[in-house]
Amino acid sequence: MARTRKTSNGNGNGNGTPVTTSQRLGTILKSARDIMRKDKGLNGDLDRLPMLTWIMFLKFLDDMEAVREEEAKMAGKKFKPTIEAPYRWRDWAAKEDGITGDALIAFISQDEAKRPDGKRGEGLFAYLRGLRGAEGGDRRDVVATVFKGVVNRMVSGYLLRDVINKVNEIHFSSSEEIHTLGNFYESMLREMRDAAGDSGEFYTPRAVVRFMVTVTDPKLGETVLDPACGTGGFLVEAFTHIEKQCKTVQQRQMLQSSTILGGEAKTLPYMLAQMNLLLHGLEAPRISPGNSLAVPLREIGDRDRVDIILTNPPFGGEEERAILSNFPEDKQTAETALLFLQLIMRKLRRAPRAGRAAVVVPNGVLFGGGISARIKEELLREFNLHTVVRLPHGVFAPYTGIPTNILFFDRSKPTETIWYYEQPLPEGRKSYSKTVPIQFEEFAPCIAWWRNRKPNDQAWTVNAEQVLSNDSNLDIKNPNAPADLEHLPPEELASNIVKQEQRIIELMAEIRSVLGGATTK
């Protein structure tokens, strides 16, 4: 990505435009969303936030293009814009008294409309969807793919003009402002998580993402994939991690062109992932907009494999029958986490260096029998499942209370010994919550242990043959800790519940007996 200009002082960005402070940005976006609430075409944040995202995307892109154009001019080079006039933000959106009302709605949404330059031609979205890179893989292809799934849901062109005018007050033309937007963007992603929580979308806490990337330690020259990338958290963290290793122009080009890969089937997270990666410096994100499970496993060959997979695939969902047919008959299941686990195993590189993966899975994957057991048997016999990190209660609260784990494995050899590490809750804490989430610093003891492994109160080993002989049950509790109901096998958990219910019935009978005796006196 072209480097943005540093500000010359605390009051501007070097070109006379005031810096958008965090407080100012928050005020602008709150005003924009307040305006959106008046529009009858929008219903809740799941409508408003996508609208705000694509509007900001075009403003952000135009500001970045202006910086790149100026840099090219100073270097005496020819500049090829991603978006041509009159479809650039500066052509139709930048003027406060510009196109508005029905004409604005028509220009944005219709295939053909009157353009801001007075001529008839393609509408904005039609033009953006038709963009093609000269050789493929540049920003024009990214923009085209992003806008294939975008629709304008606002019905009032006058309210839309007011929103555009608000967004136009944001300036993405300096490094300080990019940092400010980055902070806002993280809060916006959290809001998206909150808004989508009821529909089964659980975004991974940043602390967990950072921990997984830190211990997996992607290196320059390796390819990193998240086949269910959501809003791009793992990919951004991996990009940032590898970027620190780049010392030359050639190394940066390698990082930009052939390192970060993703897949996301849903339109909104896909668009957010694209903007997230662009915002953090990836020139042309290579994110597939399709379902990663749509490719038959038997068709995945060496050229399709990668060095590292970092992901938190969806779980508890259900795929259509056509998707299930892409998997072996004895391993077809409605549990999406198990389908993704099979895909990940197939996508890891064999040679010249063994691929490795870090995957978040629900507890059910660990203790599941039948199809789940067959998949885990393959994992243990053909891959090296070297570590299972058991996450504490409430990491994904309040969106799900299901206990979760991280599987770390590679394709170096069959599993011999599995290390378990039980990540504890902070002292005095019973659970995490939306307002008190897990922090990266809490993983410090685990990271230190990772580099110098020894059994302790949190860490223990299990022989792979022992697991295989027990129907590949990986749900093994910490032998050094008191019984934890969160990680008990379902049969034992059910038995405990029945015993507790029986004890409650006995106590109620005793209370009735005491009360009955008291009334007869």
Side-chain angles (χ1 to χ4, degrees), residues 122 424 459 516:
E122 286 183 297

Side-chain angles (χ1 to χ4, degrees), residues 79-209:
F79 175 73
K80 174 67 175 175
T82 301
I83 299 174
E84 304 273 1
Y87 298 101
R88 301 169 303 178
W89 178 273
R90 70 195 80 166
D91 300 317
W92 64 272
K95 294 181 181 178
E96 190 170 338
D97 59 350
I99 183 173
T100 187
D102 292 344
L104 177 59
I105 297 292
F107 168 66
I108 289 172
S109 302
Q110 292 181 5
D111 289 341
E112 183 179 332
K114 185 178 180 181
R115 308 185 315 187
D117 60 0
K119 300 177 182 177
R120 288 198 67 79
E122 286 183 297
L124 178 65
F125 283 180
Y127 167 81
L128 296 175
R129 291 167 187 149
L131 288 173
R132 297 290 181 272
E135 299 175 359
D138 70 13
R139 278 193 176 183
R140 281 167 287 181
D141 296 303
V142 171
V143 172
T145 306
V146 166
F147 279 89
K148 277 177 183 172
V150 172
V151 293
N152 168 46
R153 297 190 184 279
M154 290 189 72
V155 296
S156 169
Y158 299 102
L159 290 174
L160 178 54
R161 164 49 66 183
D162 290 342
V163 172
I164 289 168
N165 287 346
K166 282 296 176 186
V167 172
N168 198 51
E169 296 176 29
I170 305 170
H171 307 291
F172 304 128
S173 54
S174 78
S175 55
E176 283 86 348
E177 290 157 323
I178 294 299
H179 179 70
T180 299
L181 180 62
N183 292 336
F184 153 76
Y185 202 77
E186 287 187 8
S187 68
M188 186 168 171
L189 295 186
R190 284 195 297 270
E191 289 190 48
M192 282 306 309
R193 177 190 63 193
D194 296 348
D198 290 338
S199 58
E201 297 293 329
F202 309 125
Y203 296 100
T204 316
R206 188 180 179 189
V208 175
V209 171

Side-chain angles (χ1 to χ4, degrees), residues 68-69 72-73 75-81:
R68 286 156 56 90
E69 186 174 7
K73 190 180 297 182
K77 296 179 180 178
K78 187 176 180 181
F79 175 73
K80 174 67 175 175

